[in-house]
Amino acid sequence: MSPSPRVFLALTAALILATSVGHSAAPAAAPLRVVSFNVRNSGARDGDDAWSQRRDQFFDTLARLDPDLVGFQEVLADQHDAIVSRMSSHEFAGVARNDGKRAGEWALLGFRKSRFTEVAHGDFWLSESPEVAGSKSWDAALTRICSWARLRDKTNGREFVYANTHFDHKGVVARQEASKLIARRVAVIAAGTPALLTGDLNINEDNPAYAVLVRPEASDAIRWIDAFRTVHPQRLPDEASFHAFKGTVQGSRIDFIFHSEHFVARASEIIRTSRDGHFPSDHYPVSAIVEWR
């Protein structure tokens, strides 16, 4: 016996509703493992800790960390080529800061090929002329750069912007202005989508440049959330992330992983790995596991 018109309409409506709900529900995304790692440039005269002596240890450390997203600082051309060659599971974005090509250091960022699709990428200089390659402003001692990529997460189809940078080691004003520039410019690039930021900022949490990032006054700036501090709300005296190849632990972080409000940090560590008293770099890598909200 055929259903009555009323019953048929009710069944049809229920089927349409179930279908639309099935299509609108976004698939759950796996957490993102993010790493920031200052490599210590290969041009430094570090004796037994020179890049040639620690290169294999560096890549062994990366293999154990197995990041989905990784931001490097101080990368010179030979290191860039080695990273791209050895980390074949990842794609990379960024240019060298001196000429926008291969001269000087990269703030190189990488993302796992199997998980992310690159939508766009770019670079800007931490200066009053951010589009000018090699530009330097304020009291900065060196040219500084921020590289970014807009990525699509294949596990849920959502897009986000990932940026990586390295602040000046001397310029007090330059660091504050760099924070302002990144907070505003990445907000424009992201255009309301989620964002992640990694970097060696050469500052600690007491510095005004840190406050600019996490407590911005500008209404058009991203309010960055410090992943490590979310997971470890109590500040401790043994949080050093720079150790000058000495294994120092006392001190404050200068290497950070930040995220926008679209993510939540579930874990974060300062990775203090060593081998026979030697370290993969003069900075410890820092890691975070963040989840989509």
Side-chain angles (χ1 to χ4, degrees), residues 33-34 226-232 253 255-258 265-271 285-290:
R33 185 181 299 274
V34 188
D226 183 341
F228 185 89
R229 191 54 65 217
T230 297
V231 176
H232 307 281
R253 295 173 299 138
D255 300 274
F256 296 90
I257 297 170
F258 296 101
R266 298 301 187 192
S268 188
E269 293 182 76
I270 303 167
I271 311 298
V286 297
S287 71
I289 295 175
V290 300

Side-chain angles (χ1 to χ4, degrees), residues 31-69:
L32 302 170
R33 185 181 299 274
V34 188
V35 168
S36 184
F37 201 171
N38 183 316
V39 307
R40 177 60 167 175
N41 74 81
S42 57
R45 297 177 180 178
D46 292 323
D48 290 342
D49 295 310
W51 170 249
S52 60
Q53 302 300 311
R54 56 186 170 83
R55 180 173 50 228
D56 289 341
Q57 184 184 1
F58 172 84
F59 285 111
D60 288 346
T61 300
L62 277 176
R64 289 195 299 273
L65 292 173
D66 192 27
D68 297 308
L69 301 165

Side-chain angles (χ1 to χ4, degrees), residues 272-292:
R272 294 188 171 127
T273 180
S274 64
R275 181 188 297 166
D276 299 325
H278 293 280
F279 298 87
S281 182
D282 63 341
H283 288 242
Y284 299 115
V286 297
S287 71
I289 295 175
V290 300
E291 293 180 349
W292 290 93

Side-chain angles (χ1 to χ4, degrees), residues 3 16 147 214 237 245 266:
I16 292 171
S147 295
V214 300
F245 294 114
R266 298 301 187 192

Side-chain angles (χ1 to χ4, degrees), residues 25-184:
L32 302 170
R33 185 181 299 274
V34 188
V35 168
S36 184
F37 201 171
N38 183 316
V39 307
R40 177 60 167 175
N41 74 81
S42 57
R45 297 177 180 178
D46 292 323
D48 290 342
D49 295 310
W51 170 249
S52 60
Q53 302 300 311
R54 56 186 170 83
R55 180 173 50 228
D56 289 341
Q57 184 184 1
F58 172 84
F59 285 111
D60 288 346
T61 300
L62 277 176
R64 289 195 299 273
L65 292 173
D66 192 27
D68 297 308
L69 301 165
V70 57
F72 300 107
Q73 301 85 35
E74 284 198 34
V75 177
L76 290 179
D78 63 315
Q79 293 170 303
H80 168 276
D81 295 347
I83 289 169
V84 171
S85 175
R86 295 280 289 266
M87 294 186 70
S88 59
S89 57
H90 288 62
E91 293 281 358
F92 295 90
V95 295
R97 68 191 187 191
N98 288 6
D99 62 355
K101 296 176 182 178
R102 288 179 60 85
E105 296 177 1
W106 270 260
L108 183 70
L109 62 90
F111 51 93
R112 192 183 301 279
K113 294 178 186 178
S114 62
R115 176 157 184 180
F116 306 107
T117 300
E118 183 186 285
V119 178
H121 70 269
D123 313 271
F124 59 90
W125 278 259
L126 305 185
S127 75
E128 294 173 300
S129 304
E131 302 297 335
V132 178
S135 58
K136 182 178 69 170
S137 298
W138 309 297
D139 55 352
L142 298 170
T143 298
R144 300 291 179 171
I145 194 171
C146 179
S147 295
W148 60 270
R150 188 179 186 94
L151 305 173
R152 182 178 298 116
D153 190 337
K154 296 178 183 178
T155 66
N156 63 0
R158 295 179 67 180
E159 291 186 11
F160 66 100
V161 170
Y162 173 36
N164 180 53
T165 193
H166 188 187
F167 281 10
D168 199 65
H169 63 304
K170 290 186 177 180
V172 174
V173 175
R175 289 192 290 259
Q176 293 182 49
E177 293 300 325
S179 288
K180 294 176 186 177
L181 181 64
I182 285 175
R184 291 195 304 265

